[in-house]
Amino acid sequence: MNGQVLESDSAAALTVRNLRVGFGSAEPVVRGVSFVVAPGECLAIVGESGSGKSVTARSLLGLAGTNSRVSADRLELGGRSVLGLTDRAWQARRGKDVGLVLQDALVSLDPLRPIGREIADSLRLHTTLGAAGRARRVLELLDAVGLPQPELQVRKLSGQLSGGERQRALIAAAIALNPPLLIADEPTTALDVTVQAQILALLEQITGAGTAVLLISHDLAVVSRIAHRVAVMYDGQLVETGRTAQVLGSPQHEQTRRMVAAIPADKPRGTRLSPANRSGAPSTPDTPSFLSTPSFLSTPSFLSTPSNFGAEVSRESTVVLEAIGLSKSFRRPDGTSQLAVDDVSFTLHHGSTLGIVGESGSGKTTVARLLLALLAPEHGEVHVFGEPWSAASEKTRRELRASVGAIYQDALGSFDPRWSIAEILTDALNLRRERGAPHTTTRLTSLLDEVGLAPTVLPRRPLELSGGQRQRVGIARALAGRPEILICDEPVSSLDVTVQAQVLDLLDDVQRERGLSLIFISHDLGVVQHISDQIAVMRDGRIVEIGPAERVFAAPQHPYSAQLLAAVPRGPV
């Protein structure tokens, strides 16, 4: 069935009829959306960044924003209309009648309160549990969402948790009151595959117990595992809906077909995922086209390696980065020491990609910060192009940092929120003294085009962009410095599947043109399998297995590697 979800709404947990949402005087961004979600059912809304799916979810909870215009023929929770509810009335219903899990857990959690107290607040407001009962319930919830050592975690602030741990705490808060409807907006985006498997099992358990779940996700593999029905959103409308196996297994609408084709899992290294062609490349069904190459990317910068690094690095066998026995500890809140990275060693060769995978807290991001010299190792060292890097003076590194670029998981946190996108990228291009020059605008426009953004974002600030748009700006900024080595820490985790495909194709194209060498850290094993030549599997701060990507995925040698692969949700057939 294509079009709107118009199945029976008898005793539905959620009924939406002709929902329209706009902001200010602009045209609506959600245009006539209708669907129902029954008790015990999971309906997934999928679509590209900016398609309107998150705006739809927020509108169902009265959170569209102060300048929003929300209208609908029917908007009901459990058969009761919520159209026109006041903020005070909504506060009484959120948490009790409907739970919400947002993508950005760091923003959603109070940074000044321990997570245990934050989760317990809804229990205090909406239940008759005493202090001891609330404390027990909080521990049960944290254990249910897979947070290790919950008795220790309850005392931590959100800033003391990893991204995955924060997301699990947010899910625990959303389900604390067992609401009849749970709206989950990208609930597994920040989670590694084993914890993701736990959360998906939890969501399956919740729906099995009769709770309705509205899932917003760009991860079609996740959707294919837990959703009973799928609604594909494009340009503010639902363009295809139906049973999950039908929609993802035999997509009818062009947008759905593009999303399914963009899934990277099981697609060999070098296989294109996006439907456009770079200039000069033949267009065939097996070799999709891409965007034209901007002039500032056309000449490989690898041939102009700074003379300070000395060595000639033109051959694929050349080691461009080496980690030698890296170790790093951090002090816990209770004063004890935690060994985050333990004797980690590997080499990165010119033009190749080393993928680093592992659970949240395994040490992946700490390794990235050590490689970037943002942290100093307690033991070991990092060499770049055969020369000391971690042991070099900051002045020396500052002169050479353009050769070692970085793409971060938290794009928003890496930007100055006061700067416009034009200022952020101009600074990265080292053209601030030439601001306003015609060629500056041309280069900025070409840079944005490479990552699928329109020039209209240039005057905007990071907070005015969606999560996916911000991440694309972060990638554009990293490429602007013309690096020879790129450290990518979850660079596509916040992107929808079609934009993710464009970015992965982009990284592959630029890598081949420049001889770019990548460290690619991700919890998405499908992405890592597609883009990596070598795989390093990390657990508890150590590398437990390293080898060619094809071998590691086909025949993992370490039990933990096999456990990770077994936890990966399988996408549509």
Side-chain angles (χ1 to χ4, degrees):
M1 179 179 71
N2 292 338
Q4 305 295 298
V5 181
L6 294 173
E7 299 183 10
S8 171
D9 59 358
S10 176
L14 173 65
T15 301
V16 179
R17 287 284 183 273
N18 194 28
L19 176 67
R20 299 177 65 85
V21 185
F23 296 91
S25 58
E27 288 295 312
V29 295
V30 175
R31 301 181 290 126
V33 166
S34 301
F35 58 86
V36 297
V37 188
E41 178 186 37
C42 177
L43 169 67
I45 298 180
V46 301
E48 294 180 337
S49 177
S51 64
K53 56 187 189 298
S54 288
V55 172
T56 297
R58 286 179 169 272
S59 300
L60 305 178
L61 292 134
L63 297 173
T66 54
N67 66 332
S68 62
R69 295 178 286 107
V70 180
S71 65
D73 294 343
R74 292 176 66 185
L75 187 56
E76 300 173 355
L77 292 176
R80 297 169 57 193
S81 177
V82 292
L83 284 171
L85 284 189
T86 64
D87 288 342
R88 184 180 183 86
W90 266 119
Q91 289 172 8
R93 302 202 67 174
R94 294 186 198 118
K96 181 180 180 182
D97 295 334
V98 55
L100 174 65
V101 180
L102 292 174
Q103 177 179 353
D104 196 345
L106 185 59
V107 173
S108 302
L109 295 169
D110 188 334
L112 301 179
R113 293 199 303 169
I115 62 167
R117 187 182 305 170
E118 184 148 4
I119 296 170
D121 262 2
S122 60
L123 299 172
R124 178 177 57 82
L125 293 171
H126 296 287
T127 73
T128 58
L129 290 173
R134 293 196 298 269
R136 284 194 300 272
R137 175 61 175 157
V138 168
L139 293 177
E140 291 171 358
L141 289 164
L142 293 178
D143 183 64
V145 298
L147 205 60
Q149 298 180 300
E151 65 281 356
L152 299 179
Q153 307 285 11
V154 291
R155 298 195 294 269
K156 290 184 178 180
L157 303 177
S158 60
Q160 296 172 310
L161 303 176
S162 69
E165 289 170 337
R166 287 194 294 265
Q167 194 72 354
R168 282 175 274 176
L170 188 60
I171 293 171
I175 65 174
L177 297 172
N178 295 316
L181 172 67
L182 181 66
I183 298 177
D185 189 355
E186 302 284 3
T188 62
T189 293
L191 305 183
D192 57 73
V193 290
T194 51
V195 176
Q196 175 181 265
Q198 295 175 15
I199 296 302
L200 295 181
L202 177 62
L203 290 175
E204 288 178 316
Q205 178 184 337
I206 289 171
T207 55
T211 299
V213 175
L214 179 64
L215 174 67
I216 311 295
S217 180
H218 66 261
D219 191 331
L220 297 186
V222 166
V223 167
S224 68
R225 169 172 168 176
I226 68 170
H228 300 96
R229 290 185 294 127
V230 175
V232 181
M233 200 163 193
Y234 180 70
D235 193 25
Q237 296 179 303
L238 299 185
V239 296
E240 182 170 359
T241 66
R243 306 299 296 179
T244 302
Q246 169 198 331
V247 173
L248 300 185
S250 182
Q252 301 301 304
H253 193 275
E254 176 60 28
Q255 174 64 14
T256 315
R257 290 197 293 267
R258 286 203 307 128
M259 293 177 64
V260 171
I263 298 172
D266 300 321
K267 293 188 173 72
R269 182 89 159 94
T271 303
R272 303 198 66 80
L273 305 172
S274 59
N277 194 19
R278 295 187 68 146
S279 178
S283 180
T284 69
D286 295 325
T287 309
S289 57
F290 201 63
L291 304 172
S292 59
T293 307
S295 59
F296 74 93
L297 288 179
S298 59
T299 303
S301 61
F302 189 78
L303 300 178
S304 59
T305 300
S307 58
N308 306 63
F309 283 116
E312 177 64 28
V313 289
S314 60
R315 297 181 180 178
E316 290 188 6
S317 60
T318 301
V319 174
V320 296
L321 182 147
E322 186 174 13
I324 308 169
L326 296 178
S327 295
K328 182 66 178 180
S329 298
F330 296 101
R331 188 168 297 279
R332 296 189 180 100
D334 62 3
T336 61
S337 180
Q338 177 183 358
L339 187 58
V341 174
D342 183 8
D343 194 25
V344 165
S345 300
F346 56 79
T347 56
L348 175 67
H349 293 264
H350 165 50
S352 71
T353 299
L354 171 65
I356 301 179
V357 299
E359 292 181 331
S360 177
S362 64
K364 305 186 302 294
T365 294
T366 302
V367 166
R369 293 177 65 81
L370 291 170
L371 297 179
L372 290 165
L374 299 177
L375 291 175
E378 293 168 6
H379 302 287
E381 54 186 328
V382 179
H383 289 177
V384 173
F385 300 119
E387 300 291 333
W389 172 253
S390 57
S393 68
E394 184 54 38
K395 180 180 179 181
T396 300
R397 286 196 298 263
R398 190 178 302 118
E399 296 172 353
L400 304 172
R401 279 202 181 275
S403 296
V404 184
I407 303 172
Y408 302 101
Q409 177 179 2
D410 182 8
L412 182 60
S414 69
F415 295 144
D416 186 329
R418 300 168 296 180
W419 281 15
S420 68
I421 304 308
E423 290 173 312
I424 290 169
L425 295 181
T426 300
D427 181 64
L429 287 166
N430 200 25
L431 291 171
R432 295 192 69 192
R433 296 180 181 178
E434 304 175 53
R435 185 177 292 125
H439 72 279
T440 302
T441 302
T442 300
R443 292 178 73 181
L444 292 179
T445 300
S446 296
L447 194 58
L448 290 175
D449 186 57
E450 275 297 288
V451 295
L453 288 174
T456 52
V457 306
L458 286 172
R460 299 167 69 182
R461 287 179 167 76
L463 282 171
E464 299 175 63
L465 303 182
S466 70
Q469 289 173 321
R470 286 195 294 262
Q471 193 70 346
R472 282 178 274 175
V473 172
I475 293 169
R477 180 180 62 179
L479 293 176
R482 302 170 63 90
E484 277 80 27
I485 299 169
L486 199 56
I487 312 296
C488 308
D489 188 4
E490 299 283 5
V492 296
S493 65
S494 64
L495 304 182
D496 60 72
V497 66
T498 49
V499 176
Q500 172 184 274
Q502 294 171 12
V503 171
L504 292 176
D505 283 346
L506 168 64
L507 290 174
D508 186 62
D509 287 333
V510 175
Q511 181 175 37
R512 284 186 284 104
E513 291 172 1
R514 299 186 182 188
L516 195 66
S517 308
L518 303 182
I519 299 288
F520 197 98
I521 297 169
S522 180
H523 68 268
D524 189 327
L525 270 70
V527 167
V528 171
Q529 178 185 21
H530 173 75
I531 200 169
S532 301
D533 300 296
Q534 298 278 317
I535 300 288
V537 181
M538 288 194 69
R539 185 182 193 186
D540 296 333
R542 299 182 65 88
I543 291 179
V544 298
E545 181 169 358
I546 189 167
E550 185 176 352
R551 196 272 300 159
V552 172
F553 276 85
Q557 302 300 301
H558 194 277
Y560 177 69
S561 304
Q563 177 187 341
L564 278 182
L565 294 175
V568 178
R570 300 303 171 189
V573 178

